Amino acid sequence: MKAIRKFTVRAVLPEPLAALDELAGNLRWSWHEPTRRLFEHIAPELWRGSCNDPVALLGAVDPARLAALAADAGYVARADALRDDLRQYLDRPRWYQGLTGDKPAAIAYFSPEFGIAAALPQYSGGLGILAGDHLKSASDLGLPLVGVGLFYRAGYFSQSISSDGWQMEQYPLLDPDGLPLSILRRPDGSDVQVSLALPDGRTLNARIWQARVGRIRLLMLDTDIPENPDDLRLVTDRLYGGGGEHRLLQELLLGIGGARAVKLWSALSGKPEPEVFHTNEGHAGFLGLERISSLIGEGLSFNEALQVARAGTVFTTHTPVAAGIDRFERDLIRRYFETDLLPGVAVDDLLALGAENYEGGSPDVFNMAIMGLRLGQHANGVSKLHGEVSRRMFKGLWPGFDPADVPIDSITNGVHAPTWTDPELLELAQDRLGASDTSTADWASAAVTDHDLWSVRGRMRLQFVEDARRRLRSAWLEQNPGGIPPAWIDQVFDPNVLTIGFARRVPTYKRLTLMLHDPERLRALLLHPEHPIQIVIAGKSHPADDEGKRLIQQIVKFAADPELRTRIAFLPDYNIAMAQLMYPGTDVWLNNPLRPLEACGTSGMKAALNGGLNLSILDGWWPEYFDGLNGWAIPSADAAGDPAERDRLEANALYDLIEHQVAPPFYERNADGVPERWVRAIRHTLATLSPELSADRMVREYVERLYRPAARYEALLSTNDYRAARELAAWKSRISAAWPGVAVTHVESGGVVSVPQVGDELHLRAHVQLNGLSVRDVTVEVVYGKSLAGDDLSDVEVQALEPDGTPDPDVAAGPSEGGGPTLFTGTVELDRAGAFGYTVRVVPRNDLLISSAEMGLVAVAS
Ligand SMILES: *Cc1c(COP(=O)(O)O)cnc(C)c1O
């Protein structure tokens, strides 16, 4: 019999244990080890079985056990002390409170997924985990940030593997009552809901779940409510479940519904409304349109409202893979917005924001990333390399500029250290180094001996091996209900063998099966008589991606070989709980994407925080941080002609590295049994990478480089009833209208003789047709650098030319009036030998532009 409805009855705790309720209700337990131990102590087996979820645990535990604990004065005191600690954590000023100068009073952070704890499976991979880590560090640092997402009734999916190695997906329904969530209500107890007008006079309604993530509130919209017709109740059924219209409905809800939800939440909680809106990838991009609509309601035009919305919006792009970008049929967008959804916003204005009206674009498509860039004045990629790749990828929006000028910055991702560092390592840092966390510990100190480090690493490896066996056993039992798991499962992995980890989503570019390129070679590495390796693999393929499922199947089949199955295994259902044991338990973290398609990659960072060494293609974060001691770089064969040849070269490089450089030092032991060279690398990794890779570093950078500037620009535009926004909109349309007639008509140079030498000066006189614009509207600049083959410049520098004080002798009328050219002059010092080239260009100038390329307008001398 199947239940038609399910709910969880929350336990009524004995009075002395009231603190547990408060502790369970704040997800800070997910990264606070003492609180986790407090819950675990109630019922260790249940704790593991309930995905480490205190709310579920308290609902399931035998009341007699609770009664016994209530009578245990020591336990009660510990619970009370931890509750007091939580309260202090929530109340005391933190880093953000100590910042001087202007800073945003509130920031809203939108993401389609949030990976906070295994108990709340609202994530599919790196994007979601990053969002979870962002909230956690924002909490630790005291940011006034509110998270906005959707509540997916079935989350992503849970994965099992059939006997022939095929991925199967299950969608167990989540019961929000069994999770640390509460409904956002008005003081009279009624639910707060948002509603969105849909085509054909229909309405989509959503209620709002709130999760407490330390100091941060996360709002999650949920359409599974009686106010919606059945089909609309399913809008938030699954993460990335449907395509086309289903996806659009989710994104409308996230962006537009989310922005409305934040407003309601701010009003109800007495918090200021956000000044900065951060969208984690393009999926939430419609939020900018909602803001434009409400500004239009205050009396601004579309273009004026656009200036304000842009100024306060931060857009983070996460993918250099075209398939990773949402694109909708233009007609579908038209149909959805020719409604009352966004009062005051004309559909054509809106369509223009997502139009691919550049070389190579498609006219029938509405592109969410393009809209994200047009609606967000502040944009970034997620590693230095990804910043470069993004500037190239989107340069069509800034025609005439070099990729380096494209206004997309980068902030390299980080990971939340308290979540991702093993408690054993944390304990070592606290006990021996007196550090409060691993990222600030002085790992170079002799207070931690090589032997200490090596034995902690060994315990973490053992703990992981045991967990892997447990998972394989229960997967086997699922496939063979009532059977007895075979004995070999208890021999899977050897706690003393060099362990390599590879776990991530399975899109093609991550090349799950590169290691299988030469199966015999891999077999020899696994079974090497002196330095064997073992490999653990995990990852989910998108349910619609059969190609990915075939890759998993190849791994599973390879690992089924009786000779190899204790040395290589695929663990089904990769998730946060598995990952938290896997990163600390593996010695080497392998990453072999097709460069440069991995935007950042964070799993290797999590390994490094635990002293794992990375073995990776120089992609994502690795080129920034690889230093020759903290791991190995797999050479990329970017230049190889065809993909198969590239795979072959890179796979062989990988095998060679493992055989000659990775495995031998692991087994090179001193009299104490410690591999000194290896431990040196561990120590070096912990000392140098821990602070750099932490999400605290990342969130601080977001504050300084994006949130504060965004708040500043937004405030500048908004004061005095949006006066500057109105002026900026008028100025931009005047510039755009005049621009086709702006030109550098003639450039004269002087100063250098026939054989120029370092130290000579180049005097430039540029005649510029301003087409009615004033000299204050533009910057005329000389762009110069090394001139290589072709006409391209490299090592480019830019220097402004000044309007010449004296009227141009060749021109009767004065500067900028009457249609004649205006003279700009300047001097460049030739400070480098070698081939030199320059050009002159005109760009718009306004203090409210963050970059002279922002408008995508330039006139270059020809
Ligand atoms: C960190 C993490 C990811 C992302 O890893 P990448 O290296 O960015 O692919 C995915 N899933 C889980 C469970 C993680 O913890």
Side-chain angles (χ1 to χ4, degrees), residues 133-186:
D133 283 3
H134 197 100
L135 297 193
K136 291 170 183 176
S137 275
S139 170
D140 291 344
L141 295 171
L143 268 65
L145 184 138
V146 52
V148 185
L150 301 180
F151 181 74
Y152 305 98
R153 190 37 71 103
Y156 198 43
F157 64 92
S158 72
Q159 177 196 53
S160 60
I161 301 294
S162 75
S163 52
D164 66 344
W166 197 250
Q167 167 177 301
M168 298 186 298
E169 298 102 28
Q170 290 84 33
Y171 294 90
L173 293 187
L174 294 172
D175 172 14
D177 297 320
L179 296 170
L181 302 176
S182 63
I183 289 185
L184 180 63
R185 295 182 204 279
R186 292 194 196 79

Side-chain angles (χ1 to χ4, degrees), residues 265-278:
W265 175 76
S266 300
L268 272 171
S269 60
K271 299 261 182 356
E273 282 190 22
E275 293 156 22
V276 175
F277 290 78
H278 183 179

Side-chain angles (χ1 to χ4, degrees), residues 711-786:
R712 195 163 61 240
Y713 280 90
E714 141 110 29
L716 280 173
L717 291 177
S718 302
T719 48
N720 283 334
D721 190 28
Y722 304 106
R723 183 162 146 203
R726 293 175 211 266
E727 286 169 4
L728 181 62
W731 180 82
K732 279 188 176 178
S733 52
R734 190 161 60 81
I735 298 291
S736 300
W739 205 261
V742 172
V744 182
T745 52
H746 181 56
V747 180
E748 296 154 18
S749 61
V752 287
V753 287
S754 54
V755 185
Q757 290 184 332
V758 170
D760 283 357
E761 290 185 336
L762 174 69
H763 302 294
L764 289 172
R765 294 163 59 83
H767 303 264
V768 177
Q769 176 57 263
L770 290 175
N771 196 27
L773 299 180
S774 127
V775 293
R776 287 181 309 277
D777 291 329
V778 299
T779 305
V780 175
E781 51 198 21
V782 50
V783 181
Y784 61 97
K786 267 197 203 130

Side-chain angles (χ1 to χ4, degrees), residues 115 123-130 133 413 415 420 503-505 507 509-510 539-540 573-580 583 589-591 598-606 621:
Y123 62 93
S124 73
L127 182 73
I129 306 279
L130 178 80
D133 283 3
N413 286 341
V415 296
W420 295 110
R504 43 183 54 87
R505 291 179 305 113
Y509 78 86
K510 296 202 186 224
K540 295 176 178 178
D573 206 25
Y574 182 41
N575 65 11
I576 291 180
M578 182 195 294
Q580 281 176 320
Y583 302 135
W589 196 254
L590 173 63
N591 184 30
E598 186 68 86
C600 178
T602 50
S603 52
M605 296 179 161
K606 294 177 240 172
W621 69 282

